[in-house]
Amino acid sequence: FTMAPHPVVQAIIDLSAGAIGGTACVLSGQPLDTAKVKMQTFPTLYRGFVHCFVSTYRQVGLRGLYQGTTPALMANIAENSVLFMCYGFCQEVVCFISSQEKGAVLSDMQKACAGSVASVFSSLVLCPTELVKCRLQAMHEMATSGKIAHSQNTVWSVIKSIMHNDGPAGFFQGLTTTIAREVPGYFCFFGAYELCRSLFAEYMHCGKDDVGVAPIVFSGGLGGACLWLVVYPMDCAKSRIQVMSMTGKQSGFFKTFMHIFRTEGVRALYSGLTPTMIRTFPANGALFLGYEASRKFMMAQFDS
């Protein structure tokens, strides 16, 4: 029997493990994410994923693909540390509500619920950072298509222009959409991840925590794939709102969603799905691997 660490320590462990996972996730998936945002905002500009990738590389070089990495790192580290910290916390709340004893093993379904509640909190952190990231990523296309006068290419200049034009509230453009995207998304994300890990554990006749590297990476990737299939159309509307609101005129989530649906069809809502699906396996695999491994390591420091 091992000593469970103090709740504050536990929260810090979850937070740091989430941050480490988030970093791994961004570095492995950023170029594909840039392709996704560009394809969502300008669905007609690129023939497909490879075309978008190659032409960005030709026009702006490797830097163009890693555009918006700083806010993406900030977004992801902030999101994942808050997410996993609240995920740990929400699991205890679910435990309490369903009147199980503290530290009881939750069903995969209960964990999925804990994950979707946790995502509401992470949305508050994610929205502003994601706004800056999407604008940086689509800046080149916005400038060349004549939608904005001059492009701002640093994180700081984008932040300043949002403050100047819309004030602090400006950072939360697309918040409703972000929450609408995160809650069902993370339900599927944690649900599929935990379920997949349970299946591996059953198949390999071992505990869920001892399934090894490849199953964790695969489960993470599968969780991510489920997340994106569910939320992709909403994400498309969000990218559109966050990028197009630079020009000052952009309607809310529902209007944008219906507008894309009516004028450009369902395909436009799923524009850029390929890079996202390719990205989800290395990126979310890295996320969960970083999270589980660093968490295991830190927890071990407290077991005497």
Side-chain angles (χ1 to χ4, degrees), residues 68-260:
T69 301
T70 324
L73 270 175
M74 286 168 6
N76 234 306
I77 289 174
E79 181 191 17
N80 286 305
S81 31
V82 173
L83 181 71
F84 282 109
M85 187 174 77
C86 294
Y87 180 51
F89 182 68
C90 289
Q91 279 182 13
E92 307 223 324
V93 175
V94 171
C95 233
F96 179 73
I97 294 171
S98 56
S99 64
Q100 289 164 302
E101 66 272 16
K102 207 171 161 61
V105 179
L106 296 176
S107 72
D108 295 340
M109 188 64 181
Q110 288 169 314
K111 285 192 167 172
C113 293
S116 66
V117 175
S119 71
V120 175
F121 296 103
S122 64
S123 299
L124 295 172
V125 195
L126 180 69
C127 190
T129 35
E130 191 105 297
L131 175 71
V132 176
K133 173 190 72 92
C134 286
R135 289 196 179 181
L136 274 171
Q137 286 172 317
M139 197 62 82
H140 182 75
E141 284 77 357
M142 287 294 277
T144 42
S145 64
K147 287 204 167 71
I148 48 172
H150 56 283
S151 68
Q152 312 135 331
N153 47 13
T154 64
V155 178
W156 188 230
S157 62
V158 173
I159 293 178
K160 271 199 307 214
S161 93
I162 297 172
M163 273 308 277
H164 177 72
N165 294 330
D166 312 285
F171 288 103
F172 291 96
Q173 287 168 54
L175 182 65
T176 350
T177 330
T178 308
I179 293 179
R181 181 190 82 166
E182 303 280 288
V183 172
Y186 277 104
F187 182 82
C188 301
F189 185 57
F190 283 111
Y193 171 67
E194 298 289 354
L195 195 69
C196 196
R197 248 182 20 164
S198 300
L199 293 175
F200 273 119
E202 236 167 85
Y203 178 71
M204 293 157 64
H205 307 295
C206 63
K208 257 174 103 166
D209 293 338
D210 309 314
V211 287
V213 173
I216 284 186
V217 170
F218 182 79
S219 304
L222 192 78
C226 291
L227 169 97
W228 282 111
L229 276 174
V230 172
V231 304
Y232 203 84
M234 292 179 289
D235 185 68
C236 181
K238 182 193 67 71
S239 292
R240 211 57 94 79
I241 290 173
Q242 291 184 322
V243 173
M244 294 307 180
S245 55
M246 281 200 284
T247 56
K249 47 177 196 305
Q250 186 62 25
S251 32
F253 166 60
F254 199 71
K255 266 190 180 161
T256 305
F257 190 84
M258 289 316 288
H259 174 76
I260 300 170

Side-chain angles (χ1 to χ4, degrees), residues 30-32 34-35 52-53 56-57 61-67 69:
Q30 184 63 21
L32 292 161
T34 299
C52 176
F53 205 83
T56 302
Y57 185 73
L62 192 62
R63 229 193 69 222
L65 289 169
Y66 271 96
Q67 201 71 45
T69 301

